Amino acid sequence: MGINQNYKLNIIQWYPGHIAKAEKNLKEQLKSVDVVLEVRDARIPLSTRHPQVPEWVGSKARVLVLNRLDMVSVQVRQLWTNWFKNQGEEPYFTNAQQGQGVAAVSKAAQAAGVAVNQRRKSRGMLPRPIRAVVIGFPNVGKSALINRLVGRRVVESAARPGVTRQLRWVRISQDLELLDAPGVIPAKLEEQEAALKLAICDDIGEAAYDKQLVAAAFVDILNHLYATAGDVLPDCPLRSRYELDSTSYTGESYLHALAELRNQGDLERTASQLLTDFRKGLLGTIPLELPPQ
């Protein structure tokens, strides 16, 4: 999707103070961790990839979790599974709110940690619980995943970015301990197309962006996806929900047309409605990214 001039004039940047502190603490704690559970948003698996994670993880075992499986179709999940396997990775799809796929993640984390205790045993040391850390961008579902892994609500979880602010250890079983870490995000969002997708998916704070521009970008991204990969997507959700097809509009002109049709020309209200409907899944199973060709 080509980003038009309006987006370039409204650069999205979001880096709350608590994140810088959390990142420093996280790097310290990583020294004592055996396994890293990296959680991404299944709608935007590439845009929620933190560029420094490979450097932080080093040679430690890593389990890739793509959360919000309910928001992408089975066909799209299969495309991503195939793509990640070609990159040498096994993705685990979860719906942390409902608990789907969580048992497989727990099993993968414990399996990845078996080698740790085998090494301890070979040195004459006693086995200990595997230490895992859950990391990822804000609001991708890390806390909900931890609550599901533990089987009860042990950390605060909310549908907004920036709720977790402190690092804390949670005992899951006699075999597994988890470190809950605040969301980490690059200090500078270099890729503005990725930043727009983070904003659309509510993975960064609302103060960082102009809602009307982001809603218009959402329509442009959808139009581009339907033009290039419509065969793997459901019928155009905007037409069925709002009775106004978007394909003959730019994102900006569609927002204006939809505002006139539904909200007496109120652009801000229309932008909010578009974004909220997408975030709540009311537009159906719509990814914002498909695997690179």
Side-chain angles (χ1 to χ4, degrees), residues 129-134 142-143 145-156 164 166-181:
I130 300 308
R131 294 178 189 141
V133 64
V134 181
K142 298 180 301 299
S143 297
L145 178 67
I146 288 173
N147 288 336
R148 282 289 173 182
L149 285 165
V150 178
R152 58 196 165 86
R153 190 184 175 93
V154 290
V155 292
E156 192 182 350
T164 305
Q166 305 292 327
L167 281 82
R168 56 172 290 196
W169 284 99
V170 181
R171 186 77 176 260
I172 284 193
S173 68
Q174 59 181 24
D175 301 317
L176 189 62
E177 290 177 354
L178 262 187
L179 179 64
D180 180 30

Side-chain angles (χ1 to χ4, degrees), residues 58-69:
S59 60
K60 295 178 193 298
R62 182 172 67 95
V63 177
L64 175 61
V65 179
L66 301 182
N67 190 41
R68 300 203 173 100
L69 71 78

Side-chain angles (χ1 to χ4, degrees), residues 37 46 67 75 81 95 98 154 181 188 191 202 217 244 263 291:
L37 303 183
L46 299 182
N67 190 41
Q75 194 175 3
T81 298
N95 174 353
Q98 301 298 322
V154 290
K188 190 154 188 271
E191 288 285 329
D202 204 20
L244 183 66
N263 295 316

Side-chain angles (χ1 to χ4, degrees), residues 13-282:
Q13 290 299 345
W14 189 68
Y15 196 66
H18 76 270
I19 286 184
K21 187 179 171 192
E23 191 177 296
K24 186 169 178 282
N25 292 341
L26 177 61
K27 285 185 204 166
E28 280 299 308
Q29 291 282 2
L30 275 168
K31 293 170 190 168
S32 61
V33 161
D34 308 309
V35 181
V36 175
L37 303 183
E38 185 195 352
V39 185
R40 301 189 199 171
D41 188 322
R43 296 167 296 180
I44 48 171
L46 299 182
S47 292
T48 43
R49 173 178 59 187
H50 195 300
Q52 285 169 285
V53 162
E55 177 194 325
W56 295 342
V57 174
S59 60
K60 295 178 193 298
R62 182 172 67 95
V63 177
L64 175 61
V65 179
L66 301 182
N67 190 41
R68 300 203 173 100
L69 71 78
D70 53 312
M71 292 193 162
V72 292
S73 69
V74 173
Q75 194 175 3
V76 167
R77 294 204 299 268
Q78 192 57 55
L79 288 175
W80 278 115
T81 298
N82 296 343
W83 186 82
F84 276 112
K85 282 184 173 176
N86 286 336
Q87 314 292 312
E89 293 190 80
E90 172 87 38
Y92 290 83
F93 281 90
T94 61
N95 174 353
Q97 288 295 340
Q98 301 298 322
Q100 288 166 279
V102 172
V105 170
S106 178
K107 203 178 283 185
Q110 291 185 57
V114 165
V116 173
N117 276 326
Q118 284 174 341
R119 281 198 300 274
R120 289 176 66 82
K121 193 176 175 184
S122 69
R123 293 183 200 139
M125 299 162 79
L126 290 171
R128 60 159 172 74
I130 300 308
R131 294 178 189 141
V133 64
V134 181
I135 63 174
F137 276 57
N139 206 31
V140 293
K142 298 180 301 299
S143 297
L145 178 67
I146 288 173
N147 288 336
R148 282 289 173 182
L149 285 165
V150 178
R152 58 196 165 86
R153 190 184 175 93
V154 290
V155 292
E156 192 182 350
S157 166
R160 64 181 191 278
V163 171
T164 305
R165 300 208 162 204
Q166 305 292 327
L167 281 82
R168 56 172 290 196
W169 284 99
V170 181
R171 186 77 176 260
I172 284 193
S173 68
Q174 59 181 24
D175 301 317
L176 189 62
E177 290 177 354
L178 262 187
L179 179 64
D180 180 30
V184 286
I185 196 165
K188 190 154 188 271
L189 295 170
E190 300 287 359
E191 288 285 329
Q192 279 300 291
E193 193 167 328
L196 282 166
K197 290 172 185 172
L198 292 172
I200 293 164
C201 291
D202 204 20
D203 293 340
I204 56 176
E206 281 196 347
Y209 56 85
D210 179 313
K211 211 175 271 186
Q212 290 177 37
L213 284 174
V214 168
F218 168 58
V219 176
D220 282 334
I221 289 169
L222 271 192
N223 282 345
H224 176 71
L225 281 170
Y226 274 90
T228 55
D231 55 322
V232 298
L233 300 171
D235 288 342
C236 184
L238 301 183
R239 183 175 59 233
S240 52
R241 181 151 182 89
Y242 306 125
E243 297 175 351
L244 183 66
D245 191 5
S246 62
T247 50
S248 59
Y249 293 88
T250 65
E252 193 178 352
S253 64
Y254 184 80
L255 192 64
H256 281 265
L258 189 60
E260 289 300 327
L261 182 69
R262 293 178 74 92
N263 295 316
Q264 290 85 46
D266 187 333
L267 288 171
E268 190 67 14
R269 187 176 164 199
T270 306
S272 284
Q273 186 177 37
L274 256 174
L275 294 173
T276 300
D277 284 357
F278 170 70
R279 291 164 181 172
K280 287 186 171 178
L282 299 176

